[in-house]
Amino acid sequence: MRKYLLMMVLPIITMTAAAQKTQTADTLQVTTNPQMHCANCEKKIKSNIRFVKGVKKIETSVPQQTVTIIYDPRKSTYQDFEKAFEKIGYRIETVGKEK
């Protein structure tokens, strides 16, 4: 009986833990100064910002002049992104922040 009970409870615990991991993500949308103007700017941003801890996805848009970053807020902060952008010659300004 205990064996069957354990077999039923263990998957529930595993699914709950996996669901909690996927729920911890924030979206940060910023504009850059100087502005992005080409594919090389996008590539420079994507290839450097991906090294900030907790970054899950980066999307850039030259026409809209935005960089959207999906990240784990437990691993990085807005200041971490400011420093990372400064290292590659950009300053950032928040456009919007969603959960």
Side-chain angles (χ1 to χ4, degrees):
M1 183 72 176
R2 287 183 188 177
K3 186 177 181 180
Y4 294 115
L5 183 60
L6 183 62
M7 288 176 59
M8 292 176 65
V9 171
L10 195 56
I12 294 170
I13 293 170
T14 305
M15 289 187 293
T16 303
Q20 288 176 348
K21 286 183 182 179
T22 59
Q23 292 176 356
T24 54
D26 259 353
T27 302
L28 176 66
Q29 191 173 36
V30 297
T31 58
T32 61
N33 186 7
Q35 292 184 339
M36 297 180 290
H37 61 276
C38 64
N40 287 334
C41 297
E42 290 179 302
K43 183 179 176 183
K44 181 179 181 180
I45 289 170
K46 286 181 177 180
S47 63
N48 287 284
I49 301 306
R50 69 186 175 99
F51 290 110
V52 176
K53 289 183 181 181
V55 170
K56 297 179 180 195
K57 186 176 181 181
I58 303 169
E59 294 179 1
T60 55
S61 172
V62 172
Q64 294 178 352
Q65 289 298 310
T66 59
V67 179
T68 305
I69 305 165
I70 299 173
Y71 68 100
D72 185 342
R74 297 173 300 175
K75 296 182 180 180
S76 57
T77 64
Y78 182 79
Q79 289 76 21
D80 295 328
F81 291 107
E82 281 183 320
K83 290 176 187 175
F85 274 93
E86 284 176 9
K87 285 182 182 178
I88 57 173
Y90 290 96
R91 288 187 316 250
I92 58 172
E93 182 178 318
T94 305
V95 174
K97 186 176 180 181
E98 305 169 350
K99 281 192 177 184

